[in-house]
Amino acid sequence: MLELKNITINAGKRKIVENLNMKIKAGEINVLFGPNAAGKSSLALALAGHPEYKITKGKIILDGENITKKAPEYKSRKGLFLLFQSPPSVEGVKLRDLLSTISNEKDRLKIFEKAKKFLLTAGLSEQFLNREINKGFSGGEKKKFELALLFLLSPKYVILDEPDSGVDIDSSKLIVEKINELKSLSKGVLLITHYPAILKNLNIDKVCVMKNGKIVEEGGREVAEKIEEKGFNGDKNE
Amino acid sequence: MVIKMSEPKWVEHIRERGRALLKNGRLKKDEYINLKTFKSKNETMKKIERLEDAPKEVLAAFERLGLSREEQKRLLGITVQVDGNMLLSQVSKILEKKNVTIDSTSEAVKKYPEIKNYFFKLVPYDLNELTAYHAAHWSGGVYIHANGKFQSPINAYFLLLSPLFSQLEHTIVVLEPNSEITVVEGCTAPIPVRNSIHVGINELYVKKNARLNLIKLQNWPSYVHTRPITKIKAEKGTHVNITNIILGGGASTIETPIVELGEEAKINSETLIFSDNNSLINVASYVTAYRDSSTVLLSKTIAGKNSKVIVRDNITAEGKAKGHISCDGLLLSKNAQITSVPSLSSHSPDANLSHEAAIGKLNEESLFYLRSRGLSEKQAETLLIEGFMSPLMKKLPILYRQEVKKIIELKGGM
């Protein structure tokens, strides 16, 4: 289980998230809902260990281990994966280079083959293994590339930060399929979104609503349905 | 019996002129180098036939240029100068058949009278105190004369093994019309060598429609000053590609490639500078470009620790020429400094000249992205540095690409 206990997050002096509690169990899809600027992406980046978003209070417990202060690579190796909302382009670095660095020579060819397979199932061509990461990728390609990487690294817990933002209908469909697949693979999923439409075809377990850095409502699918109908402020003008 | 030929009169005359200029003391001095402290001659080394037979310290120094023993064996043309002496000149018969001559310049001045037309003709010996000193005391260097096309690289290596030594090699490369060759020049010294200088003078003549690929690889330790001067005369319709790799750098490195680019000629010059410790690297490239010529000067600088790098590039258009300068700098430490000074000057309204420059540190977002995929901070930095260099590395032959990577990793800057 990935447990967030009383988490408070600061960016510089500004408090962005306050006293947040959440439990993400294996095989469950937890949805974190909220309007723009609610602190959702800051939470995602802080959990992954981004140096600009500091966890000033509280703990992240991953399968019983306190990983709050650990380096991003440690969290990743322990099985935490952040799917970036807008992943940066990495000049001159290809997926091939990244994989060569994290694998030993013996397994290299195998991991390349695996990467090609996941690129294909994410709706990309094998060529993406040899392209500079995210450089010149379209919005949809970036998301698919993140998904391919996710399945390749096969983490235990996944934070999906707006996985469907800026993509076309076909890509959106594929992303929904992939998220359901994560559930069937017993991954614990935290899905961050501000747009309820994606939830329709997802097999979700819990929904939390975040506003101004705090959880203001918790429940099941009905919470999402209410927001879809009435918006975050209780009317439709969101 | 070996007959030792003496130097021809015209060489003696140049040496005399150099000495006279030094004595008169009016030439511009170098702020870091006091010439009185150096010797320029040492005991003659016994020449060897194959590189495998070289003394241990030579082979060890060679490793700093990255070439493995196996790779060394495969080279068809190779010369090795240690301090002031030519240790090895191993030239395959194939080169002769292709009309390519390679010899030590010290020998060549005695054997080939035409060299007089090229020696100290592009670089004047009264340029400054160092050129006069070079004229008076020069020793070695390589003379390459090509009258045909030859694909494999011709390799000239210069090693400095003695402290307080001034290595004054004089290299002359002549490509007759329509010829094509690749020259790899490697310079290094083992780390303990202190207070020596390398003042190489390279004069390159690329005649009508000829093509020259020049790869320069320099890996100097922290206590060696270097002042190589390269001057190229590229005639009409020629293509010149220069890949200049400066790794680490000694106490101070000042490079000045100067090119006279003829009509319809093309030059592509790419420089990679990796500096660390307290080194000061000063690279200046000047191109005078004539009608319908095309110039691209590209540099990538990575500065770590307390090092300082200054990159000056200039294109002067004397006619309807095209030219572009691009300088990228990457700072790895708070104490490092990169200065980029691109300049353009045009004497023709039809010339098309441009430049761009950018200096920054490693991109924090990219660094975090890679770390969040399981790479350690060090691994992520290394990948990003390699990524920064990659456009230039792609131009290097695979063999050297691997070696440059290895050397940079060894330097611990990554």
Side-chain angles (χ1 to χ4, degrees):
Chain A
M1 184 167 63
L2 179 67
E3 208 179 343
L4 313 182
K5 281 185 170 172
N6 260 321
I7 297 256
T8 296
I9 296 165
N10 274 42
K13 284 189 177 153
R14 206 159 49 94
K15 197 177 277 177
I16 294 184
V17 173
E18 203 174 353
N19 291 331
L20 180 129
N21 287 287
M22 205 179 269
K23 285 178 183 169
I24 298 145
K25 291 181 188 152
E28 277 190 9
I29 298 179
N30 297 253
V31 180
L32 181 65
F33 237 159
N36 289 328
K40 306 184 302 294
S41 286
S42 307
L43 171 70
L45 289 166
L47 294 179
H50 194 291
E52 273 177 36
Y53 300 91
K54 296 241 172 5
I55 300 177
T56 52
K57 262 201 293 190
K59 284 177 189 164
I60 311 170
I61 312 286
L62 192 148
D63 292 339
E65 184 186 352
N66 182 352
I67 59 160
T68 320
K69 303 267 183 234
K70 299 289 187 191
E73 57 270 30
Y74 185 90
K75 292 173 171 175
S76 163
R77 291 171 198 165
K78 280 284 162 180
L80 183 68
F81 183 98
L82 166 64
L83 184 136
F84 283 64
Q85 183 183 2
S86 12
S89 63
V90 190
E91 193 197 328
V93 180
K94 303 164 188 158
L95 178 57
R96 176 185 286 277
D97 305 325
L98 189 158
L99 297 177
S100 299
T101 310
I102 55 175
S103 60
N104 54 36
E105 221 168 324
K106 196 171 77 204
D107 303 329
R108 207 152 286 164
L109 284 178
K110 244 187 270 168
I111 195 165
F112 289 162
E113 285 312 307
K114 232 165 122 183
K116 285 182 194 166
K117 189 186 100 188
F118 287 119
L119 285 166
L120 288 173
T121 55
L124 296 170
S125 76
E126 292 181 354
Q127 294 305 317
F128 279 74
L129 184 66
N130 295 316
R131 279 181 63 176
E132 286 179 41
I133 294 172
N134 293 319
K135 198 175 171 188
F137 291 13
S138 71
E141 283 170 342
K142 281 185 187 171
K143 303 285 186 190
K144 290 174 183 172
F145 187 79
E146 289 285 281
L147 276 176
L149 207 49
L150 192 172
F151 280 87
L152 180 65
L153 297 176
S154 187
K156 292 183 197 158
Y157 301 96
V158 181
I159 305 162
L160 305 169
D161 190 5
E162 309 275 0
D164 62 330
S165 65
V167 303
D168 59 25
I169 295 176
D170 290 342
S171 304
S172 180
K173 242 172 105 180
L174 180 113
I175 290 163
V176 167
E177 270 170 40
K178 288 286 164 193
I179 299 172
N180 280 330
E181 196 180 327
L182 287 173
K183 186 180 165 90
S184 64
L185 291 168
S186 297
K187 310 288 181 196
V189 177
L190 174 61
L191 169 62
I192 296 174
T193 182
H194 69 278
Y195 191 55
I198 187 179
L199 304 180
K200 267 197 191 114
N201 299 310
L202 275 180
N203 195 356
I204 57 178
D205 296 275
K206 264 190 287 180
V207 178
C208 301
V209 180
M210 188 184 210
K211 270 189 193 175
N212 301 321
K214 288 180 186 156
I215 302 285
V216 293
E217 199 173 355
E218 274 177 87
R221 184 179 284 278
E222 73 286 352
V223 177
E225 280 165 358
K226 195 180 83 189
I227 286 168
E228 186 161 24
E229 201 182 315
K230 296 187 172 167
F232 288 109
N233 292 324
D235 53 46
K236 254 280 166 184
N237 299 326
E238 268 301 317
Chain B
M1 203 178 80
V2 182
I3 302 168
K4 273 218 159 172
M5 283 196 290
S6 55
E7 279 182 344
K9 281 254 152 37
W10 63 269
V11 176
E12 274 176 30
H13 175 72
I14 288 176
R15 290 198 190 277
E16 258 167 46
R17 287 286 301 138
R19 281 194 292 270
L21 284 163
L22 284 175
K23 209 169 163 191
N24 133 333
R26 280 195 215 129
L27 291 174
K28 196 178 164 231
K29 290 187 169 44
D30 190 286
E31 62 177 303
Y32 298 93
I33 297 174
N34 176 6
L35 290 172
K36 293 201 175 75
T37 54
F38 301 104
K39 55 182 182 203
S40 56
K41 277 205 177 72
N42 53 1
E43 275 174 48
T44 329
M45 263 188 164
K46 205 181 149 211
K47 252 188 126 172
I48 54 168
E49 296 291 317
R50 301 172 313 168
L51 194 60
E52 298 102 283
D53 303 331
K56 263 206 312 265
E57 63 270 30
V58 171
L59 291 173
F62 236 88
E63 270 165 29
R64 284 173 54 79
L65 289 172
L67 273 189
S68 75
R69 309 260 159 102
E70 278 311 303
E71 286 151 2
Q72 291 159 18
K73 279 185 207 162
R74 267 186 262 135
L75 301 173
L76 291 173
I78 176 170
T79 64
V80 180
Q81 176 170 338
V82 176
D83 296 338
N85 299 311
M86 191 57 82
L87 174 73
L88 166 78
S89 165
Q90 184 186 322
V91 181
S92 152
K93 290 260 183 306
I94 305 169
L95 279 144
E96 268 172 47
K97 275 188 211 149
K98 298 273 180 182
N99 287 323
V100 179
T101 307
I102 306 175
D103 211 328
S104 148
T105 309
S106 294
E107 295 301 315
V109 290
K110 298 170 194 165
K111 289 190 204 160
Y112 311 103
E114 71 272 17
I115 199 173
K116 193 181 167 188
N117 304 325
Y118 305 114
F119 192 85
F120 266 123
K121 290 290 185 234
L122 290 179
V123 178
Y125 44 78
D126 58 358
L127 186 68
N128 55 41
E129 197 191 39
L130 288 175
T131 52
Y133 181 74
H134 183 108
H137 304 291
W138 73 274
S139 173
V142 187
Y143 172 60
I144 301 172
H145 182 271
N147 196 2
K149 291 183 182 176
F150 186 66
Q151 294 297 327
S152 297
I154 295 160
N155 304 269
Y157 293 103
F158 300 95
L159 312 179
L160 246 172
L161 295 189
S162 303
L164 292 167
F165 195 86
S166 57
Q167 185 172 52
L168 308 167
E169 54 100 359
H170 200 117
T171 290
I172 290 175
V173 178
V174 181
L175 276 80
E176 294 299 338
N178 302 308
S179 297
E180 183 175 348
I181 55 168
T182 295
V183 177
V184 177
E185 198 185 293
C187 303
T188 193
I191 292 161
V193 168
R194 294 198 169 209
N195 306 319
S196 287
I197 57 170
H198 170 91
V199 185
I201 290 185
N202 294 355
E203 297 181 285
L204 296 91
Y205 300 82
V206 189
K207 297 186 184 175
K208 216 172 156 188
N209 298 326
R211 284 171 183 236
L212 170 68
N213 294 310
L214 177 66
I215 297 168
K216 291 183 78 172
L217 184 59
Q218 301 179 65
N219 185 15
W220 294 110
S222 304
Y223 299 96
V224 172
H225 294 285
T226 61
R227 298 287 181 278
I229 300 175
T230 302
K231 207 156 171 187
I232 303 174
K233 188 177 161 77
E235 291 184 2
K236 189 175 176 182
T238 52
H239 284 199
V240 178
N241 289 310
I242 304 175
T243 309
N244 193 6
I245 314 271
I246 302 170
L247 299 171
S252 70
T253 301
I254 299 181
E255 281 252 356
T256 45
I258 305 160
V259 185
E260 192 187 310
L261 196 63
E263 293 175 1
E264 295 160 41
K266 264 188 191 173
I267 181 163
N268 235 311
S269 163
E270 299 179 333
T271 304
L272 174 71
I273 302 161
F274 183 90
S275 70
D276 61 1
N277 297 330
N278 296 310
S279 64
L280 170 75
I281 298 180
N282 200 323
V283 180
S285 309
Y286 304 103
V287 177
T288 306
Y290 291 89
R291 185 177 57 78
D292 292 325
S293 68
S294 149
T295 304
V296 176
L297 303 178
L298 187 149
S299 70
K300 294 241 171 199
T301 302
I302 301 165
K305 295 186 186 151
N306 300 308
S307 64
K308 286 193 176 73
V309 181
I310 304 164
V311 183
R312 287 190 183 85
D313 288 308
N314 171 270
I315 304 174
T316 300
E318 293 291 350
K320 185 190 159 206
K322 259 195 340 201
H324 183 67
I325 296 171
S326 163
C327 309
D328 282 330
L330 182 60
L331 287 166
L332 296 184
S333 113
K334 278 184 188 149
N335 299 322
Q337 191 182 312
I338 298 173
T339 308
S340 158
V341 193
S343 69
L344 305 168
S345 81
S346 180
H347 301 167
S348 161
D350 298 321
N352 181 355
L353 305 179
S354 59
H355 71 71
E356 58 182 322
I359 300 169
K361 58 176 180 175
L362 284 177
N363 185 299
E364 303 272 359
E365 292 307 316
S366 306
L367 204 58
F368 171 65
Y369 181 81
L370 293 175
R371 291 180 72 187
S372 74
R373 300 299 175 241
L375 275 71
S376 70
E377 191 172 7
K378 191 98 185 148
Q379 287 174 325
E381 282 174 1
T382 303
L383 261 196
L384 288 176
I385 294 171
E386 285 178 13
F388 174 81
M389 302 189 302
S390 74
L392 215 146
M393 297 287 267
K394 275 182 210 152
K395 304 281 169 72
L396 273 182
I398 289 174
L399 187 85
Y400 293 96
R401 215 183 295 168
Q402 292 303 328
E403 301 313 337
V404 168
K405 261 175 85 168
K406 239 193 291 177
I407 291 166
I408 289 178
E409 270 166 34
L410 279 177
K411 290 225 167 257
M414 290 164 69

